[in-house]
């Protein structure tokens, strides 16, 4: 039995992606199912503001969101965003690339483990996400329920092994 070769995963910055690809992705009806903060119709202007906002994180924090490519084709976006003292990792894949989530996350976490600024990573998942086995396999721990911009999320944390990675309630 011959399997399909796994696609080569690469990261690039969001401005390198055609705005129309991001527009098609974020306008896909499946996206709203697991993105409680996604509201309104996306336009090319929305995409431009979104990309500008994610690029501003790079300017401010020296880290931000990437576009993910599978064999050179846009597969989604995500990355690290500073939330208070924590680095939150988000991942938003195109529906046809949902199966690449663990591989992309592992590659991003390898980056985090090599960056001394990131002693741990948090993940915010909407209650609609039921399959959490990948987070457990990665070693993430449930922190609790949180409200973020008016929406409920489940918060998880994964230590990366950096100098401040020992979890204490006062720094979590």
């Amino acid at each position: 039995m011959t399997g399909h070769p796994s696609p080569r995963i690469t990261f690039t910055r969001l401005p390198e992606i055609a705005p129309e690809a991001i527009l098609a992705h974020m306008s896909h009806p499946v996206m709203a199912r697991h993105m409680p903060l996604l509201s309104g119709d996306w336009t090319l202007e929305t995409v431009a503001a979104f990309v500008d906002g994610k690029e501003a994180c790079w300017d401010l924090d020296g880290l931000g969101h990437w576009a993910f490519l599978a064999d050179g084709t846009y597969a989604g976006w995500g990355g690290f965003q500073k939330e208070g003292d924590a680095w939150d990792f988000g991942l938003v894949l195109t529906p046809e690339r949902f199966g690449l989530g663990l591989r992309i996350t592992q590659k991003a976490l390898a980056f985090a483990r090599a960056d001394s600024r990131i002693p741990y990573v948090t993940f915010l998942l909407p209650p609609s996400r039921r399959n959490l086995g990948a987070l457990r396999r990665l070693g993430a721990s449930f922190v609790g329920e949180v409200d973020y911009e008016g929406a409920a999320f489940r918060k998880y944390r994964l230590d990366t092994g950096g100098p401040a990675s020992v979890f204490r309630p006062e720094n979590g």
Side-chain angles (χ1 to χ4, degrees), residues 53-75:
K54 295 306 182 189
E55 283 296 295
C57 293
W58 284 95
D59 295 338
L60 181 65
D61 300 319
L63 191 56
H65 285 80
W66 295 286
F68 303 123
L69 306 177
D71 288 336
T73 301
Y74 176 73

Side-chain angles (χ1 to χ4, degrees), residues 13-19 22 42 44-58 65:
R13 296 284 280 274
L14 285 165
E16 301 300 315
I17 303 303
I22 298 171
W42 278 58
L44 288 174
E45 292 77 21
T46 310
V47 171
F50 166 77
V51 171
D52 288 347
K54 295 306 182 189
E55 283 296 295
C57 293
W58 284 95
H65 285 80

Side-chain angles (χ1 to χ4, degrees), residues 84-100:
D85 290 335
W87 288 96
D88 188 69
F89 178 75
L91 177 67
V92 181
L93 297 177
T94 61
E96 61 274 6
R97 295 299 191 170
F98 281 171
L100 295 178

Side-chain angles (χ1 to χ4, degrees), residues 31-172:
M31 301 317 304
R33 187 177 311 152
H34 296 300
M35 295 183 72
L37 299 178
L38 184 65
S39 63
D41 292 331
W42 278 58
T43 64
L44 288 174
E45 292 77 21
T46 310
V47 171
F50 166 77
V51 171
D52 288 347
K54 295 306 182 189
E55 283 296 295
C57 293
W58 284 95
D59 295 338
L60 181 65
D61 300 319
L63 191 56
H65 285 80
W66 295 286
F68 303 123
L69 306 177
D71 288 336
T73 301
Y74 176 73
W77 60 270
F80 300 101
Q81 186 164 323
K82 194 83 165 157
E83 298 290 345
D85 290 335
W87 288 96
D88 188 69
F89 178 75
L91 177 67
V92 181
L93 297 177
T94 61
E96 61 274 6
R97 295 299 191 170
F98 281 171
L100 295 178
L102 183 58
R103 281 189 55 211
I104 291 170
T105 299
Q106 288 172 323
K107 186 171 181 149
L109 290 174
F111 176 91
R113 287 183 180 100
D115 190 318
S116 63
R117 297 174 297 171
I118 308 175
Y120 63 92
V121 174
T122 60
F123 305 86
L124 296 178
L125 298 175
S128 63
R129 293 289 309 269
R130 301 263 185 239
N131 186 355
L132 305 175
L135 273 181
R136 285 190 287 276
R137 285 191 298 278
L138 288 170
S141 301
F142 179 68
V143 173
E145 303 280 337
V146 298
D147 180 88
Y148 185 79
E149 295 186 15
F153 288 89
R154 293 185 182 121
K155 185 175 183 177
Y156 291 81
R157 176 189 163 121
L158 176 66
D159 292 337
T160 61
S165 66
V166 177
F167 180 62
R168 295 181 194 93
E170 68 271 12
N171 72 357

